[in-house]
Amino acid sequence: QVQLVESGGGSVRPGGSLRLSCKFSGFTSEYWAIGWFRQAPGKEREGLACLVSVDDYTNYKDSAKGRFAISKDHAKNTVYLQMTNLKSEDTGVYYCATDVEAVRCDLGLLSYSPWGQGTQVTVSS
């Protein structure tokens, strides 16, 4: 059974940086994808970035390109989301989720299960 646990959220000033972690366990295949998603207050959950395990293929939401970077550390069973130049509109709950048996990834929510519990990011001066 695949399990995901997010960490690394917190409060930061505009222009600051945070690195979120998604620690995973339970994969039985080498083919999987992990995506990062955000749910801002009063808004629908949206996909930000995803990564495929087998060849490090990545896919980003246009608004995340240049400020967010997704990466993985197999030795630590962790996928990261490095966020820089944070803005107030980046405030929200950040989730990671997996698309098991994936060889490519997209940012549609329906492709992903299970999900982590989420970690709060607040960007405010």
Side-chain angles (χ1 to χ4, degrees), residues 13-56:
R13 296 185 183 275
S17 300
L18 279 175
R19 188 178 74 165
L20 306 182
S21 299
C22 175
K23 190 166 180 66
F24 56 84
S25 63
F27 286 116
T28 58
S29 169
E30 63 178 320
Y31 297 95
W32 48 261
I34 284 181
W36 279 100
F37 301 82
R38 174 177 66 207
Q39 188 156 20
K43 295 188 177 180
E44 293 185 352
R45 195 172 301 186
E46 61 177 344
L48 298 172
C50 62
L51 176 146
V52 174
S53 62
V54 68
D55 60 2
D56 288 345

Side-chain angles (χ1 to χ4, degrees), residues 7-12 18 20 83 86 91-92 119-124:
S7 62
S11 295
V12 64
L18 279 175
L20 306 182
M83 305 187 294
L86 285 162
T91 294
T119 185
Q120 175 72 42
V121 171
T122 302
V123 184
S124 173

Side-chain angles (χ1 to χ4, degrees), residues 4 6 20 33-40 44-50 68 70 81 83 92-99 105-116 118-119:
L4 306 171
E6 302 98 332
L20 306 182
I34 284 181
W36 279 100
F37 301 82
R38 174 177 66 207
Q39 188 156 20
E44 293 185 352
R45 195 172 301 186
E46 61 177 344
L48 298 172
C50 62
F68 294 0
I70 190 170
L81 185 68
M83 305 187 294
V93 179
Y94 285 69
Y95 300 88
C96 63
T98 186
D99 183 1
C105 64
D106 61 42
L107 300 177
L109 275 64
L110 294 178
S111 300
Y112 292 85
S113 178
W115 292 71
T119 185

